[in-house]
Amino acid sequence: MSGVMTGIIVILVLLLIVIGSIGIAIWRVKNAAKRAFGTSDIREGIRQIEQEYALTPKSVSAMTSLYLPKIKLDFPEFQYDEMKVRAENVLTSYLMAVDRMNPGLLKEGNRELRDRLEMRIQMLEAAGKRERYQSIKLHRTELADYKKRNGRCIITFQTSVQYYHQVENEKGDILSGRSDMPAQSRYNTDVIYIQDRNKVEDERDLALGLNCPNCGAPIGRMGSKFCEYCGTPVLEINIHAWSFSNVTELK
């Protein structure tokens, strides 16, 4: 009988040790959560982390100090502040056009950009979906790239963006995204200038670039001071010859 009692006592002691260990572990976890989050409620701590992440802007590739001198060397009359505002307006209007399923809301852009926007809206319509972008807030915009290829000069602006983003079905049910917490993202917005029309591959771009104010002939190369057809002096740069060609979200 005493052996049975001894066994029971041993089992109880072991149970107390296990329960105590669990209690200590929980106490340590709560203390760690309190130090990290300011609260002993782990769920509340996770919610705080999620909210902090949702409100922290994405960093951008800030290469303005590197690329702007190169751009100004090629295009002395390039107005950076004006072009940056235009890039931000294009990005905002692009997102609003998707939100409202109306490509006509895009403020400016060449045929290439408008075709991509229309195709995106058509794909959403075909899938019976709607993409929402609400309370759009732009944090920061910087130059991210400057390159020359295929007869084009391409300047890329990169923007850090905050918005409430959801994808809905035809009934308005949310398929992805959240309506109660903002999302952070980054976008590249490309603006192009036709440097050499003879190298341009896309016929939609042939309408871009500069023309002689006297005879209307195209100014073939960047930096031309005179029309090669009639000899009329021409401006080295016309800010309106730049055209926005692409808006891309960075994953």
Side-chain angles (χ1 to χ4, degrees):
M1 187 71 177
S2 60
V4 174
M5 290 299 296
T6 301
I8 294 174
I9 292 172
V10 170
I11 292 173
L12 290 174
V13 170
L14 291 175
L15 285 174
L16 287 173
I17 293 174
V18 171
I19 293 172
S21 299
I22 293 173
I24 292 172
I26 293 173
W27 177 80
R28 287 179 175 175
V29 169
K30 286 186 175 181
N31 275 341
K34 190 170 184 178
R35 288 195 300 270
F37 313 133
T39 176
S40 59
D41 189 330
I42 297 176
R43 289 176 298 179
E44 175 63 19
I46 293 174
R47 191 194 68 80
Q48 289 180 10
I49 290 179
E50 189 178 45
Q51 186 174 33
E52 182 179 353
Y53 179 78
L55 295 175
T56 302
K58 294 279 189 180
S59 61
V60 298
S61 179
M63 305 295 287
T64 303
S65 60
L66 174 64
Y67 289 122
L68 186 56
K70 297 180 180 181
I71 295 171
K72 296 288 285 185
L73 184 63
D74 290 338
F75 302 96
E77 296 182 27
F78 181 85
Q79 299 297 318
Y80 169 72
D81 291 335
E82 176 186 341
M83 192 64 75
K84 182 171 76 169
V85 170
R86 287 176 63 188
E88 291 178 337
N89 288 338
V90 167
L91 173 57
T92 302
S93 64
Y94 179 92
L95 295 176
M96 291 305 301
V98 174
D99 177 85
R100 300 181 185 178
M101 309 286 276
N102 181 4
L105 294 178
L106 182 64
K107 287 188 177 297
E108 60 173 309
N110 63 9
R111 189 66 259 170
E112 183 179 356
L113 177 58
R114 294 184 182 279
D115 285 348
R116 289 177 179 173
L117 173 59
E118 290 173 2
M119 182 177 297
R120 179 172 177 177
I121 293 174
Q122 289 171 4
M123 290 177 66
L124 287 170
E125 290 176 339
K129 297 179 180 179
R130 187 159 187 173
E131 200 165 0
R132 295 291 193 180
Y133 293 96
Q134 299 174 322
S135 301
I136 299 170
K137 179 181 180 181
L138 308 184
H139 294 295
R140 183 182 180 186
T141 298
E142 296 282 351
L143 287 177
D145 198 7
Y146 175 53
K147 53 183 174 287
K148 305 172 187 178
R149 66 184 185 192
N150 299 328
R152 301 178 174 191
C153 294
I154 306 173
I155 295 174
T156 300
F157 287 92
Q158 191 169 111
T159 303
S160 175
V161 188
Q162 174 182 302
Y163 42 51
Y164 289 84
H165 175 241
Q166 307 93 43
V167 177
E168 303 174 352
N169 60 20
E170 293 176 325
K171 297 179 180 179
D173 300 323
I174 297 177
L175 303 177
S176 64
R178 296 181 59 170
S179 60
D180 62 335
M181 193 169 290
Q184 305 290 337
S185 190
R186 291 177 301 158
Y187 284 81
N188 280 351
T189 304
D190 294 339
V191 57
I192 68 170
Y193 177 87
I194 303 306
Q195 179 183 5
D196 188 342
R197 291 169 184 253
N198 297 323
K199 296 180 181 179
V200 173
E201 299 174 351
D202 194 334
E203 293 184 358
R204 293 173 297 185
D205 286 337
L206 293 177
L208 303 175
L210 294 176
N211 293 83
C212 172
N214 179 50
C215 69
I219 306 302
R221 295 182 179 276
M222 175 180 64
S224 298
K225 302 292 185 179
F226 299 90
C227 173
E228 61 186 56
Y229 294 93
C230 69
T232 300
V234 296
L235 291 175
E236 187 170 355
I237 175 67
N238 180 340
I239 199 67
H240 298 292
W242 292 89
S243 178
F244 290 92
S245 62
N246 192 34
V247 173
T248 307
E249 183 178 11
L250 303 179
K251 300 296 185 180

